[in-house]
């Protein structure tokens, strides 16, 4: 992954992370679409994710939890608001109880992920939108920026496996 930028905008109540990958948009899209691949990168390396449910379609809901080094779990939920595969995905995200229900439906954030075809690769831009400055600052204090950078950095390993498999099969290594 090539880290391009991260920007916290307290006026617009957004946090934006821009990364680039050496694979086509359709392949990068799969790391969100496939729950087993998603588990391998969603969350920082020290807090791996497990997706208990993953209905990846508009109106679909997902329940996941991340497990910390000491065994502590932090649950979350997604609602898929819209998608245009493999170009754009909009999700509502929040903290959840163990059963996947929102702890506070009013404390959710939304994020939009766009995938731009760069020819030899993909630029993935994730814009998280917050309901208030307090919410943005709370998430920043929890390490959201570092966590998102670390999590996105794990995508390369999934994409590299594709190249390894193509090489074994004698296929070209292009994304």
């Amino acid at each position: 992954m090539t880290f391009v930028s991260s920007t916290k905008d307290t006026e617009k109540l957004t946090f934006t992370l821009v990364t680039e990958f050496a694979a086509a948009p359709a392949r990068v899209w799969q790391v969100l679409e496939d729950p087993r691949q998603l588990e391998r990168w969603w969350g920082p390396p020290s807090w791996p994710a497990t997706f208990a449910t993953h209905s990846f379609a508009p109106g679909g809901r997902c329940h996941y939890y991340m497990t910390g080094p000491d065994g502590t779990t932090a649950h979350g939920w997604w609602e898929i608001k819209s998608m245009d595969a493999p170009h754009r995905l909009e999700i509502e995200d929040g903290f959840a109880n163990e059963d996947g229900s929102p702890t506070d439906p009013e404390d959710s954030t939304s994020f939009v992920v766009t995938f731009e075809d760069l020819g030899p690769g993909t630029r993935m831009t994730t814009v998280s939108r917050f309901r208030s400055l307090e919410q943005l600052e709370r998430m920043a204090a929890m390490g959201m920026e570092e966590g998102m950078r670390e999590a996105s950095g794990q995508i390369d390993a999934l994409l590299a496996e594709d190249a390894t498999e193509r090489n074994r099969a004698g296929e070209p290594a292009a994304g």
Side-chain angles (χ1 to χ4, degrees), residues 8 130 135-146:
K8 180 172 81 169
F130 301 88
Q135 185 189 44
L136 186 155
E137 296 297 351
R138 180 170 31 94
M139 295 301 290
M142 290 175 66
M144 180 181 179
E145 178 177 0
E146 297 83 10

Side-chain angles (χ1 to χ4, degrees), residues 13 31 38 93 102 108 115 133:
L13 301 177
V31 303
L38 186 56
D93 178 35
S108 65
F115 303 83
L133 180 58

Side-chain angles (χ1 to χ4, degrees), residues 71-86:
T72 302
T73 58
H75 291 257
W77 61 271
W78 287 354
E79 181 179 338
I80 311 298
K81 294 299 194 177
S82 67
M83 66 171 53
D84 176 20

Side-chain angles (χ1 to χ4, degrees), residues 2 9 16 20 24 28 33-34 46 48 58 74 84 87 92 136 138 144 151 157-159 161:
T2 300
D9 186 327
T16 303
E20 292 179 356
V28 179
E33 183 177 51
D34 177 349
S46 61
D84 176 20
H87 309 289
E92 193 74 17
L136 186 155
R138 180 170 31 94
M144 180 181 179
L158 296 168
L159 301 175
E161 288 172 6

Side-chain angles (χ1 to χ4, degrees), residues 101-121:
S101 63
T103 56
D104 180 355
E106 299 303 314
D107 191 31
S108 65
T109 60
S110 64
F111 64 93
V112 175
V113 185
T114 55
F115 303 83
E116 179 186 351
D117 190 343
L118 300 177

Side-chain angles (χ1 to χ4, degrees), residues 1-2 19-32 37 40-41 115 120-124 152-167 172-175:
M1 167 196 80
T2 300
T19 53
E20 292 179 356
F21 300 95
R27 175 60 190 105
V28 179
W29 178 270
Q30 289 174 348
V31 303
L32 284 158
Q37 292 181 57
R40 293 181 55 200
W41 73 271
F115 303 83
T122 300
R123 174 171 285 176
M124 184 169 84
S152 296
Q154 299 174 107
I155 294 173
D156 281 329
L158 296 168
L159 301 175
E161 288 172 6
D162 289 348
T164 300
E165 290 301 314
R166 282 192 299 275
N167 287 340

